[in-house]
């Protein structure tokens, strides 16, 4: 597969099943189908957002793309190279270009390591810098994210949540990557601090030419930072569109429900809140056909029988729904 269409990352029919563990009468007890046949592309220098309810498989997808979790099947292409076919040694070199920023910066940082040690660790592990050169490189990275020399020898517990996330971002930048998975990077932060981190991420993308996969359930944040959006439900992508189009009009019934919950910052305006019945089905035994059909207010008879494919229904607009055949 050639990287001839501007895609830095392409994911084809990616699946990740987790075994439940144990056997009964010679048969497996089943699997959790966390990611079940996902196609996804991220253009170089752009931000693709992945949105959906908690537990829909967003984080698992992000970690599987980085091969921090080994995929069950499917293909992952980065700059035209199929990551599935690489050995652990070969992945070590590729990972310099692929990094992760986690949701909770407090748990992401070792409380026993100073900022200098945490941010500099990737440089030491890959044999890039030591001693005085390491200190200079770490200081440069800290300055990139709005911190300074006075922070070098402090420990994570001496910082606010926003500052800790800046440290995590600096560490992710240490190896000069091209692609970063941002897994709910602002979810644990106050609203005012969220804005600062989002602005920092946008500025870094502009200055360094970074490409992001931004995982979030916060649609207001997604609207600000992303170029296109993938909507995920129970391991499947149900809608894909550029950000502007998706926020103007939603097509898939699940996407409509998600967007009806967005708060409007005007007390005189009201948005019609769409309620759906039932709970999210289990990923161990998902419904047949469209996985959203038991809760869908617009379901048809065919929805319970046949899984809809993700088809282009308008230019650049993809929906997995029988309503748009």
């Amino acid at each position: 597969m050639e990287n001839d269409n501007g895609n830095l990352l392409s994911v084809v029919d990616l699946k990740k099943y987790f075994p439940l563990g144990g056997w009964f009468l010679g048969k497996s007890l089943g699997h959790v189908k966390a990611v079940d046949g996902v196609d996804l592309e991220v253009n170089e220098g752009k931000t693709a957002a992945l949105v959906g309810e908690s537990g829909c498989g967003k984080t698992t997808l992000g970690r599987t793309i980085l091969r921090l979790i080994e995929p069950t099947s499917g293909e992952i292409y980065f700059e035209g190279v199929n990551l599935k076919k690489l050995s652990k040694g070969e992945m070590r070199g590729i990972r310099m270009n692929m990094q992760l920023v986690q949701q909770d910066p407090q748990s992401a940082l070792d409380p026993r390591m100073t900022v200098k040690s945490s941010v500099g660790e990737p440089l030491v592990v890959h044999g890039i810098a030591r001693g005085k050169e390491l200190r200079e490189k770490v200081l440069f990275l800290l300055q990139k994210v709005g911190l300074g020399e006075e922070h070098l020898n402090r420990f994570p517990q001496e910082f606010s949540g926003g500052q800790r996330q800046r440290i995590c971002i600096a560490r992710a930048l240490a190896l000069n990557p091209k692609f970063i998975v941002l897994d709910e990077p602002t979810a644990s932060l106050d609203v005012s601090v969220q804005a600062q981190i989002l602005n920092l991420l946008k500025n870094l993308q502009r200055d360094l030419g970074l490409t992001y996969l931004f995982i979030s359930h916060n649609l207001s944040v997604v609207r600000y930072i992303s170029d296109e959006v993938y909507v995920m439900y129970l391991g499947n992508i149900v809608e894909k569109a550029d950000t502007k189009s998706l926020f103007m009009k939603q097509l898939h019934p699940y996407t409509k429900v998600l967007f009806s919950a967005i708060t409007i910052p005007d007390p005189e305006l009201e948005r019609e809140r769409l309620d759906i019945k039932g709970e999210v089905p289990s990923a161990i035994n998902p419904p047949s056909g469209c996985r959203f059909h038991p809760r869908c207010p617009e379901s048809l008879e065919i929805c319970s029988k046949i899984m809809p494919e993700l088809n282009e229904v308008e230019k650049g607009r993809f929906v997995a729904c029988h309503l748009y055949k």
Side-chain angles (χ1 to χ4, degrees):
M1 181 172 178
E2 298 295 331
N3 186 35
D4 58 359
N5 55 0
N7 296 333
L8 184 72
L9 176 81
S10 295
V11 172
V12 182
D13 195 27
L14 191 64
K15 298 181 180 179
K16 179 57 190 178
Y17 295 174
F18 293 98
L20 289 176
W23 297 75
F24 181 71
L25 298 179
K27 294 183 179 181
S28 169
L29 293 178
H31 295 81
V32 177
K33 297 179 179 180
V35 177
D36 197 13
V38 166
D39 293 340
L40 182 146
E41 297 176 343
V42 187
N43 291 330
E44 189 167 2
K46 301 295 184 180
T47 299
L50 184 63
V51 304
E53 294 171 286
S54 296
C56 71
K58 304 188 299 296
T59 293
T60 301
L61 176 57
R63 289 176 175 269
T64 304
I65 287 171
L66 296 175
R67 271 192 65 187
L68 298 176
I69 301 173
E70 289 297 327
T72 301
S73 64
E75 311 297 335
I76 307 163
Y77 295 95
F78 182 76
E79 294 189 307
V81 176
N82 189 347
L83 303 188
K84 276 283 300 301
K85 295 182 178 180
L86 300 184
S87 66
K88 289 185 178 180
E90 290 169 327
M91 273 302 301
R92 180 185 173 93
I94 290 285
R95 281 213 179 92
M96 294 178 69
N97 280 320
M98 307 176 74
Q99 294 294 313
L100 171 69
V101 175
Q102 301 180 61
Q103 174 178 343
D104 182 9
Q106 183 169 347
S107 61
L109 295 170
D110 189 332
R112 299 164 297 179
M113 295 175 69
T114 64
V115 170
K116 177 189 169 186
S117 298
S118 289
V119 176
E121 186 175 27
L123 298 169
V124 173
V125 168
H126 286 270
I128 295 173
R130 289 183 182 276
K132 183 179 179 181
E133 184 184 7
L134 177 64
R135 186 184 188 280
E136 290 174 351
K137 286 185 177 293
V138 170
L139 179 56
F140 175 77
L141 290 165
L142 291 181
Q143 290 170 340
K144 274 284 185 186
V145 300
L147 298 175
E149 187 173 7
E150 67 275 17
H151 300 117
L152 278 170
N153 296 312
R154 296 184 186 177
F155 291 89
Q157 54 270 30
E158 299 179 62
F159 295 90
S160 67
Q163 288 175 319
R164 282 195 288 264
Q165 195 61 289
R166 288 173 186 268
I167 295 167
C168 291
I169 294 170
R171 183 173 60 184
L173 295 175
L175 299 176
N176 194 27
K178 295 180 179 179
F179 174 67
I180 301 179
V181 173
L182 300 159
D183 188 5
E184 303 263 16
T186 61
S188 62
L189 307 176
D190 294 338
V191 174
S192 60
V193 181
Q194 285 184 15
Q196 295 172 18
I197 296 299
L198 291 173
N199 286 330
L200 171 64
L201 291 170
K202 291 194 78 167
N203 290 338
L204 290 170
Q205 184 175 49
R206 179 198 64 213
D207 296 343
L208 304 176
L210 297 170
T211 303
Y212 295 146
L213 176 62
F214 190 94
I215 299 171
S216 182
H217 64 272
N218 188 329
L219 293 172
S220 299
V221 168
V222 164
R223 185 174 193 172
Y224 178 72
I225 198 168
S226 68
D227 297 293
E228 62 180 354
V229 182
Y230 287 82
V231 182
M232 193 170 187
Y233 181 78
L234 207 61
N236 297 143
I237 301 298
V238 297
E239 188 163 355
K240 172 200 172 185
D242 68 85
T243 304
K244 183 177 180 181
S245 298
L246 191 68
F247 276 80
M248 286 180 61
K249 181 183 179 182
Q250 302 83 48
L251 298 182
H252 196 282
Y254 174 66
T255 312
K256 293 177 184 178
V257 171
L258 276 185
F259 276 70
S260 74
I262 299 176
T263 302
I264 300 176
D266 187 338
E268 296 184 2
L269 294 178
E270 291 186 6
R271 184 192 299 273
E272 181 185 359
R273 180 68 181 265
L274 300 177
D275 292 322
I276 52 176
K277 55 190 176 184
E279 300 293 329
V280 179
S282 170
I284 299 172
N285 186 26
S288 60
C290 173
R291 292 187 173 180
F292 186 59
H293 88 264
R295 308 172 71 199
C296 180
E298 303 177 59
S299 63
L300 307 171
E301 184 177 350
I302 191 175
C303 299
S304 63
K305 300 175 182 177
I306 299 175
M307 170 78 79
E309 296 182 359
L310 191 67
N311 291 318
E312 189 171 19
V313 296
E314 300 173 6
K315 184 172 176 57
R317 192 74 182 265
F318 295 80
V319 184
C321 182
H322 291 298
L323 295 171
Y324 298 95
K325 271 204 164 185

